[in-house]
Amino acid sequence: MSQIKTTISTATSVNTAHDKARRADSPLESELPLQQNVALLHAARERLVLTQACPVPCPTKDDELVVEIRAIGLNPVDWKSIDYNFAIPQLPYIAGRDFAGVVVKAPAASSRLRVGDLVLSPSTDYRDIRKSAFQEYAISTHHNVARIPRNVPTTQAASIGVAYVAAALALGISLGLRLQSLADRDEIDLWEAVRQVPVSSIPADIMEECLSGIENAERPQPGDWIAIYGGSSTSALFISEIARLAGLKVILLADGVKHGGRLSERQGSILVDSHDPARAIKIVQSITKGKLRFAVDTVGKETAGHLVHMLQADAPEGKRAHLVGLTGVPKDKIDGVVFHSVPIKLFHEVPSIGLALMVWLERALESGALALPEVEYAEGGLSGINAALDRMRRGEISGRRLVVSI
């Protein structure tokens, strides 16, 4: 970070002619440029500042690679962390959680990745600004990128990453759902895989969620119901898609007037209008005949509380109900209902888990097994990120993802 501070103090508004020439050349040729443009945050609740002549990040480990960013996917956390001053570990700071681009430096260690591969990278390791999205070049690791197949545009791939990772961990770790077999490959059992990892490699603050959250006998089976509150979100899209592939019956709770036309066409799911929560609770109880044991909330504590009332808290054979809150769970515990938070750092802290998620995603994208988010494109490159985040602040982007090309 001191290197960035020094660079900012001496930065000029014009790159050298040598740097310009190197940027114009193919990024696959010889050396990387030494400097890049960055959208930099100097303080919470301030605007991002386009800053030139910042250092291009370099790998420090054998499993790291360098990606020339072509597209940035914007997430709600990108503006909320700025406005509410959280998940900003240091200043100045480079934000951004999702990007896609081309590998310009492959890992030094043996890897499935090569220079020239198009990849997407979910940046869940927000404390390492080398991995952040709001810059021209970023670091990722072998186990935290997925190759983009030809049938998926790079710009759309930038909308997938963090939402997919959150969905897959919520289902695969917190609820113990097996990720369905794809392309003649075996299913992926994250619940079992995390139990094969040395305990010392699992961060202490997520260990209970990873190892004690749900018992083997309680895990979802084909034909079970799952309810998702905030069904129009990108995370809800991936939760519903992964659940559908595994044979679960999906209920989406969302604003029927605003999102009904689009969500009612989603394969393998039932849409329930969430405008009147009390009525929605009764409808879900009727649909599931009072036997709903699994739910995920993508909105907040209040809507997570509505899901609690839909769950069967007295299931036979001692099977508990399970609620995952992506943004929070009710404060008061309920007998027979287990509350879960997504152990997101498992993705970047435990390579075997991150790699399993990325390999499964590669198969899903190549086979077209997953429906992908609806994307809207924002103009202006790094300079346009402030305006794009403002649109998200105003609630203009709902049910789709905003992507910035650079």
Side-chain angles (χ1 to χ4, degrees), residues 34-106:
L34 298 177
Q35 298 176 339
Q36 64 168 343
N37 295 327
V38 169
L40 203 64
L41 179 70
H42 288 275
R45 292 175 287 278
E46 289 190 1
R47 310 290 281 177
L48 301 173
V49 177
L50 181 64
T51 306
Q52 299 176 318
C54 287
V56 170
C58 297
T60 58
K61 299 177 181 178
D62 286 348
D63 63 349
E64 293 182 342
L65 59 141
V66 183
V67 177
E68 183 186 48
I69 297 176
R70 300 289 177 82
I72 299 168
L74 299 181
N75 291 277
V77 71
D78 293 332
W79 71 264
K80 290 181 179 180
S81 64
I82 294 172
D83 289 12
Y84 300 110
N85 192 19
F86 69 90
I88 303 174
Q90 51 195 333
L91 290 169
Y93 182 64
I94 304 173
R97 305 296 177 91
D98 267 324
F99 61 86
V102 61
V103 176
V104 292
K105 186 175 181 60

Side-chain angles (χ1 to χ4, degrees), residues 65 99-103 111-122 141-154 157 160 185 355 357-367:
L65 59 141
F99 61 86
V102 61
V103 176
S111 171
R112 74 194 195 288
L113 302 166
R114 299 289 182 268
V115 169
D117 284 347
L118 291 173
V119 297
L120 65 86
S121 180
T141 58
H142 165 80
H143 57 278
N144 284 160
V145 300
R147 292 171 296 185
I148 305 169
R150 294 184 178 182
N151 57 305
V152 178
T154 304
I160 295 171
R185 303 292 183 90
L355 183 60
L357 288 177
M358 292 293 93
V359 170
W360 192 88
L361 178 59
E362 289 178 356
R363 297 172 191 163
L365 294 177
E366 188 170 0
S367 64

Side-chain angles (χ1 to χ4, degrees), residues 156-157 159-168 171 228 231 233-245 266 360-361 365 370-373 401:
Q156 186 167 49
S159 72
I160 295 171
V162 170
Y164 160 76
V165 170
L171 293 174
I228 307 167
S233 71
T234 304
S235 292
L237 167 65
F238 289 120
I239 293 166
S240 63
E241 287 290 285
I242 295 169
R244 173 184 60 82
L245 289 172
R266 190 173 294 176
W360 192 88
L361 178 59
L365 294 177
L370 292 178
L372 299 181
R401 291 294 302 279

Side-chain angles (χ1 to χ4, degrees), residues 5 10 110 127 136 144 147-148 156 213 215 229-230 236 256 261-262 282 351 404:
K5 289 180 178 178
T10 59
S110 178
R127 294 183 181 278
E136 293 178 315
N144 284 160
R147 292 171 296 185
I148 305 169
Q156 186 167 49
E215 300 295 331
Y229 218 116
R262 179 171 55 88
K282 292 180 180 179
V404 179

Side-chain angles (χ1 to χ4, degrees), residues 213-235:
I214 189 168
E215 300 295 331
N216 188 33
E218 297 175 326
R219 298 167 68 186
Q221 301 299 321
D224 284 342
W225 289 98
I226 183 169
I228 307 167
Y229 218 116
S232 64
S233 71
T234 304
S235 292

